[in-house]
């Protein structure tokens, strides 16, 4: 991170977050899987979104619930997808049962799992993941690839 960006984040009282864990790595230093970082409060969500704006980056937010079987099944597949975009795109997840409902409503989440692309502090696109995992992953990949036209 450049000194200018770091100084700007410091002035805004934002600390660069790097809560990602590279789960596996191949010989070519490309990760096979990157653990999704958890967002556990509305203020943390706001910091993540603001930091991404300062860095002129997009972020993926996965809205899920511990009771949602499709969410549980999809998460490791999203962690593999996150490795394809690591480190230029950060993936986070939110357990909707552990945060205030007003944040869920603010994000416009009505179904689980919902995968959203945020850029410039705004939700740009989303995929509702209620169907087969490979289709969801393909839709998320397409959403990411299309972000350059947003």
């Amino acid at each position: 991170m450049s000194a200018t960006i770091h100084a700007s984040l410091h002035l805004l009282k934002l600390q660069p977050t790097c809560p990602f864990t590279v789960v596996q790595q191949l010989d070519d230093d490309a990760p096979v899987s990157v653990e999704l970082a958890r967002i556990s409060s509305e203020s943390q969500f706001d910091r993540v979104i603001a930091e991404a704006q300062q860095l002129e980056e997009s972020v993926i937010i996965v809205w899920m619930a511990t009771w949602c079987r499709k969410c549980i099944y999809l998460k490791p597949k999203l962690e593999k997808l996150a490795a394809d975009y690591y480190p230029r795109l950060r993936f986070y997840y939110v357990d909707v049962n552990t945060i205030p409902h007003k944040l869920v409503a603010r994000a416009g989440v009505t179904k689980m799992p919902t995968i959203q692309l945020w850029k410039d502090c705004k939700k740009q696109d989303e995929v509702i993941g209620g169907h087969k995992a490979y289709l969801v992953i393909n839709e998320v990949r397409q959403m990411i690839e299309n972000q350059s036209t947003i």
Side-chain angles (χ1 to χ4, degrees):
M1 179 181 305
S2 74
T4 305
I5 292 172
H6 194 281
S8 297
L9 290 174
H10 181 70
L11 289 173
L12 291 170
K13 298 189 187 252
L14 295 174
Q15 295 301 314
T17 57
C18 190
F20 303 98
T21 304
V22 175
V23 179
Q24 291 179 315
Q25 206 153 348
L26 297 174
D27 292 335
D28 65 357
D29 292 334
V32 173
S33 181
V34 176
E35 191 174 314
L36 279 68
R38 182 176 180 170
I39 294 177
S40 56
S41 69
E42 188 169 10
S43 61
Q44 183 185 10
F45 176 83
D46 291 337
R47 281 192 306 273
V48 164
I49 298 302
E51 179 182 315
Q53 181 184 22
Q54 287 296 311
L55 297 173
E56 297 180 358
E57 295 177 349
S58 299
V59 293
I60 297 293
I61 308 290
V62 180
W63 300 83
M64 55 190 304
T66 54
W67 49 262
C68 170
R69 288 183 184 259
K70 289 187 186 270
C71 301
I72 294 165
Y73 182 73
L74 191 59
K75 188 177 177 195
K77 291 162 179 40
L78 287 166
E79 289 173 337
K80 287 182 181 178
L81 182 64
D84 292 346
Y85 295 97
Y86 179 82
R88 64 186 170 96
L89 182 63
R90 296 173 294 159
F91 282 61
Y92 295 87
Y93 81 96
V94 179
D95 181 343
V96 298
N97 294 322
T98 63
I99 55 151
H101 180 72
K102 71 178 186 170
L103 177 58
V104 177
R106 186 175 121 198
V109 174
T110 58
K111 296 180 180 168
M112 300 300 130
T114 295
I115 302 97
Q116 297 178 332
L117 184 138
W118 286 72
K119 184 175 183 177
D120 298 326
C121 292
K122 295 180 188 141
K123 176 178 66 173
Q124 302 294 329
D125 204 354
E126 72 180 9
V127 171
I128 308 294
H131 43 285
K132 298 225 179 271
Y134 77 93
L135 295 172
V136 174
I137 296 301
N138 288 343
E139 288 179 30
V140 173
R141 187 181 303 279
Q142 183 176 6
M143 176 177 70
I144 293 167
E145 296 299 325
N146 290 341
Q147 79 170 327
S148 60
T149 62
I150 295 175

